[in-house]
């Protein structure tokens, strides 16, 4: 028996994103979106971050794994039944904007898209699974990217407002928990996924990103307002990519550097969403980086008046920073850059595994904001092997999750209010950063491979049974 006490009604579950599992990329009247033009494989990051990336398909050179995903579009019943078998209390899913508004700027939504999500939500509710819905998860309609320049354009606020209100009105009797923008602060380092544009040049990246982020902040606040009006009792959260930042050593120069990086990366977006205002330190940061945010009258009031109800976040790793890096140190960094932490081991993809970092994140966020927290992504991307008898013994994943759940249990003891925990990629899906299938997170194995082959058959891994028991005992047996 574990010593941890998780609250009654704790929302144990799993998380996915529409573009990474649905497939059916042109079915049901869906329009093209950002994920549809992202190539598969480790080349993905390089292709999309090359200045001048034209958002066109190039089938001669690349494959596009998100087009088929794991075919959840046709197999959602089977998949949700498996989630129910594990005892999920909640399922964090996202809605593909381009299924509802194929181009993004239409006045009327696409009924077929709305009906699809009616079915998915009904299937969850049938099993008593609480849906937690992300409105925008890394898949802006392509038309908005090409014609409007993504979130750099203020007009997108209007389109998003229409989209969000359409969802609230349609699903008001089915969905109580909503998340506005996935990993919104990722835009501070890489604007493409969350803000829908490739910076014009390196020099204007920060200016363009923060201008776009400002538009997103206004859109998010308007969504909070609309959601509360349309669905009484609903709760809306922001969604942050959270990584505590350590100083490489106790040299105050490095300590200050790590602290400053954390303020920019972790705090600006949270402060705006929860406290309803830009933090005091942002003024100097904006000035020193030539960032001039164009605001309209009423923007700051809107942001102040409609803060989120809770914070949700993803946690995969911590980050370690040092002010001056040698070339060798530069190359040693984690996913986020920085330097290698000599005390941590990394996953096969170089993501440093740090359960204490999760306890720290929970405490830092709760100390700062005093609102409930929801861990909506955590998990281990790993290579899985099917044994001769057909089993998949993913003890490495069980160990990873156990250590992180224990860290979460410690944070509960520390007094942090936590609403739930949804494991990322509860069923294998296409990786967001590399477009690979071989980077697997699931409790459920999907027979699909990086070269596109596979039967799409589903198979339970050892972790499936383990997690089922964790949920059944409310974290008492880990
Ligand atoms: C988060 C994203 O950054 O990390 C997910 O919200 C993503 O969409 C997850 O899949 C894991 O990243 P990756 O690159 O391993 O898929």
């Amino acid at each position: 028996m574990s010593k941890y006490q998780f609250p009654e009604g704790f929302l144990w579950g799993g998380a996915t994103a529409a573009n990474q599992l649905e497939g059916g990329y042109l079915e049901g009247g869906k329009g093209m979106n950002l994920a549809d033009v992202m190539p598969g494989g480790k080349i993905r990051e390089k292709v999309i971050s090359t200045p001048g990336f034209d958002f066109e398909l190039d089938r001669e050179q690349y494959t596009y794994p998100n087009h088929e995903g794991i075919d959840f579009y046709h197999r959602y019943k089977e998949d949700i039944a498996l989630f129910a078998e594990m005892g999920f209390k909640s399922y964090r899913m996202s809605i593909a904007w381009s299924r509802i508004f194929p181009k993004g700027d239409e006045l009327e939504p696409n009924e077929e898209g709305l009906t699809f999500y009616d079915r998915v939500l009904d299937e969850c509710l049938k099993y008593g699974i609480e849906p937690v819905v992300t409105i925008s998860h890394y898949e802006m309609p392509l038309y908005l990217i090409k014609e409007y320049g993504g979130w750099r354009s203020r007009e997108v606020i209007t389109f998003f407002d229409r989209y969000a209100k359409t969802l609230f009105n349609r699903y008001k009797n089915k969905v109580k928990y909503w998340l506005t923008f996935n990993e919104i602060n990722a835009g501070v380092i890489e604007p493409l996924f969350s803000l829908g544009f490739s910076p014009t040049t390196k020099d204007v990246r920060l200016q363009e990103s923060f201008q776009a982020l400002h538009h997103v902040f206004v859109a998010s606040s308007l969504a909070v307002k609309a959601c509360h009006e349309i669905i009484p009792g609903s709760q809306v959260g922001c969604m942050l990519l959270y990584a505590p930042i350590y100083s490489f050593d106790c040299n105050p120069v490095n300590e200050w550097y790590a602290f400053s990086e954390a303020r920019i990366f972790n705090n600006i977006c949270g402060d705006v969403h929860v406290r309803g205002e830009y933090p005091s330190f942002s003024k100097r940061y904006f000035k020193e980086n030539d960032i001039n945010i164009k605001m309209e009258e009423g923007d700051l009031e809107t942001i102040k008046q409609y803060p989120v109800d809770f914070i949700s976040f993803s946690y995969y790793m911590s980050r370690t920073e040092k002010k001056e890096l040698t070339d060798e140190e530069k190359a040693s960094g984690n996913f986020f850059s920085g330097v290698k932490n000599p005390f941590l081991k990394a996953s096969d993809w170089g993501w440093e595994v740090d359960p204490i970092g999760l306890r720290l994140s929970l405490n830092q966020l709760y100390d700062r904001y005093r609102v409930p927290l929801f861990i909506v992504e955590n998990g281990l991307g790993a290579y899985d092997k099917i044994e001769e008898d057909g089993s998949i013994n993913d003890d490495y994943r069980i160990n990873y999750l156990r250590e992180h759940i224990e860290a979460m249990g410690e944070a509960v003891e520390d007094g942090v209010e936590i609403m739930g925990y949804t494991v990322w990629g509860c069923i294998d899906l296409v990786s967001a950063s590399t477009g690979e299938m071989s980077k697997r997170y699931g409790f459920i194995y999907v027979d699909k491979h990086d070269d596109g082959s596979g039967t799409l058959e589903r198979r339970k891994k050892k972790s499936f049974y383990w997690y089922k028991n964790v949920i059944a005992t409310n974290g008492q047996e880990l």
Side-chain angles (χ1 to χ4, degrees):
M1 295 295 265
S2 82
K3 58 175 182 160
Y4 304 108
Q5 292 293 334
F6 293 96
E8 274 300 300
F10 192 73
L11 293 170
W12 297 100
T16 62
N19 74 83
Q20 291 170 256
L21 91 168
E22 281 178 6
Y25 84 115
L26 291 180
E27 287 185 60
K30 179 182 161 295
M32 293 283 284
N33 65 29
L34 173 63
D36 293 328
V37 294
M38 290 201 176
K42 294 200 169 43
I43 188 85
R44 170 175 284 198
E45 213 185 333
K46 190 167 169 236
V47 173
I48 61 178
S49 59
T50 302
F53 172 54
D54 59 4
F55 303 100
E56 297 292 340
L57 293 174
D58 179 352
R59 291 185 196 274
E60 304 248 300
Q61 284 204 67
Y62 309 120
T63 57
Y64 295 93
N66 299 63
H67 290 188
E68 186 187 33
I70 56 159
D71 196 32
F72 179 84
Y73 190 71
H74 298 109
R75 294 166 196 249
Y76 64 92
K77 284 193 181 173
E78 183 190 343
D79 294 340
I80 294 169
L82 288 166
F83 300 161
E85 192 183 327
M86 267 187 282
F88 277 19
K89 308 285 181 211
S90 66
Y91 172 41
R92 178 192 172 219
M93 52 176 268
S94 75
I95 290 182
W97 189 347
S98 60
R99 272 198 199 288
I100 311 300
F101 288 95
K103 284 161 68 189
D105 65 353
E106 299 93 334
L107 294 176
E108 296 301 327
N110 168 35
E111 179 56 34
E112 261 193 274
L114 288 168
T115 306
F116 170 66
Y117 293 109
D118 266 323
R119 294 194 183 123
V120 172
L121 292 168
D122 288 343
E123 206 61 22
C124 292
L125 297 173
K126 177 170 119 187
Y127 295 108
I129 298 175
E130 185 79 55
V132 177
V133 174
T134 315
I135 303 173
S136 175
H137 190 134
Y138 290 173
E139 37 55 344
M140 192 171 211
L142 201 58
Y143 185 79
L144 294 185
I145 292 176
K146 286 183 167 178
E147 298 299 316
Y148 292 86
W151 277 101
R152 282 175 300 190
S153 160
R154 192 170 171 105
E155 281 177 276
V156 176
I157 299 177
T158 311
F159 308 143
F160 182 81
D161 192 47
R162 190 174 301 137
Y163 165 53
K165 283 181 179 151
T166 302
L167 301 187
F168 301 148
N169 280 312
R170 178 72 169 222
Y171 306 124
K172 61 181 169 212
N173 297 320
K174 300 180 182 181
V175 183
K176 179 177 168 200
Y177 297 100
W178 297 87
L179 311 179
T180 49
F181 295 90
N182 184 61
E183 295 189 334
I184 186 57
N185 54 323
V188 174
I189 43 178
E190 166 54 76
L192 187 58
F193 282 90
S194 52
L195 301 173
F197 70 91
S198 248
T200 323
T201 63
K202 271 200 173 150
D203 309 344
V204 296
R205 181 179 68 84
L206 283 177
Q207 165 63 30
E208 292 187 338
S209 298
F210 277 97
Q211 182 63 61
L213 269 173
H214 179 73
H215 296 149
V216 174
F217 293 149
V218 175
S220 179
S221 297
L222 291 173
V224 173
K225 175 177 189 284
C227 193
H228 288 162
E229 284 169 4
I230 298 169
I231 319 178
S234 58
Q235 292 195 38
V236 190
C238 58
M239 199 300 201
L240 305 175
L241 192 188
Y242 202 86
I245 305 187
Y246 306 133
S247 167
F248 177 71
D249 56 21
C250 55
N251 180 343
V253 171
N254 290 331
E255 180 59 39
W256 177 256
Y257 183 70
F259 175 74
S260 309
E261 285 289 300
R263 293 213 290 188
I264 305 305
F265 186 67
N266 288 330
N267 297 345
I268 292 186
C269 294
D271 285 9
V272 174
H273 275 114
V274 184
R275 294 175 163 170
E277 56 193 30
Y278 282 90
S280 44
F281 62 81
S282 61
K283 266 196 191 138
R284 177 169 182 180
Y285 174 73
F286 290 160
K287 196 169 156 211
E288 288 180 353
N289 288 283
D290 289 327
I291 299 166
N292 291 298
I293 302 178
K294 205 168 148 219
M295 299 189 191
E296 282 193 5
E297 218 186 307
D299 281 3
L300 292 178
E301 287 72 15
T302 301
I303 287 170
K304 186 79 198 170
Q305 258 186 302
Y306 305 106
V308 291
D309 302 305
F310 65 95
I311 295 179
S312 75
F313 67 102
S314 61
Y315 176 78
Y316 292 95
M317 67 198 115
S318 52
R319 174 174 154 191
T320 305
E321 289 290 347
K322 188 179 177 195
K323 187 147 193 261
E324 304 292 340
L325 298 180
T326 61
D327 285 346
E328 199 186 327
E329 282 170 338
K330 266 186 207 156
S332 77
N334 206 346
F335 176 70
F336 290 114
S337 76
V339 285
K340 186 172 161 47
N341 185 323
F343 300 100
L344 299 176
K345 292 205 171 86
S347 77
D348 288 335
W349 277 261
W351 294 20
E352 285 169 341
V353 177
D354 180 13
I356 293 176
L358 176 59
R359 181 178 177 186
L360 254 176
S361 304
L362 286 159
N363 277 278
Q364 287 177 352
L365 282 165
Y366 198 64
D367 283 354
R368 191 173 181 94
Y369 300 115
R370 290 270 148 187
V371 296
L373 304 177
F374 197 155
I375 301 156
V376 293
E377 282 189 36
N378 175 235
L380 178 70
Y383 295 107
D384 288 332
K385 181 171 161 250
I386 305 186
E387 304 296 341
E388 272 177 22
D389 64 0
S391 61
I392 299 162
N393 298 313
D394 54 343
D395 290 298
Y396 37 89
R397 183 168 294 110
I398 294 173
N399 292 338
Y400 176 101
L401 294 173
R402 180 189 297 115
E403 286 177 0
H404 284 78
I405 293 173
E406 283 172 352
M408 180 169 71
E410 293 290 346
V412 172
E413 292 284 303
D414 295 334
V416 179
E417 198 181 338
I418 310 177
M419 298 162 65
Y421 176 76
T422 54
V423 174
W424 175 251
C426 46
I427 181 165
D428 291 348
L429 37 63
V430 180
S431 151
S433 58
T434 65
E436 291 168 295
M437 269 310 297
S438 50
K439 190 179 187 189
R440 296 176 183 275
Y441 286 87
F443 300 115
I444 302 162
Y445 182 90
V446 178
D447 185 43
K448 168 128 196 232
H449 308 283
D450 289 344
D451 63 3
S453 65
T455 61
L456 293 167
E457 181 208 349
R458 276 59 170 157
R459 188 184 289 257
K460 297 169 199 169
K461 304 182 193 174
K462 186 174 176 185
S463 56
F464 180 100
Y465 303 100
W466 173 81
Y467 194 49
K468 180 178 177 172
N469 192 47
V470 171
I471 299 177
T473 61
N474 198 25
Q476 281 295 293
E477 288 179 21
L478 295 175

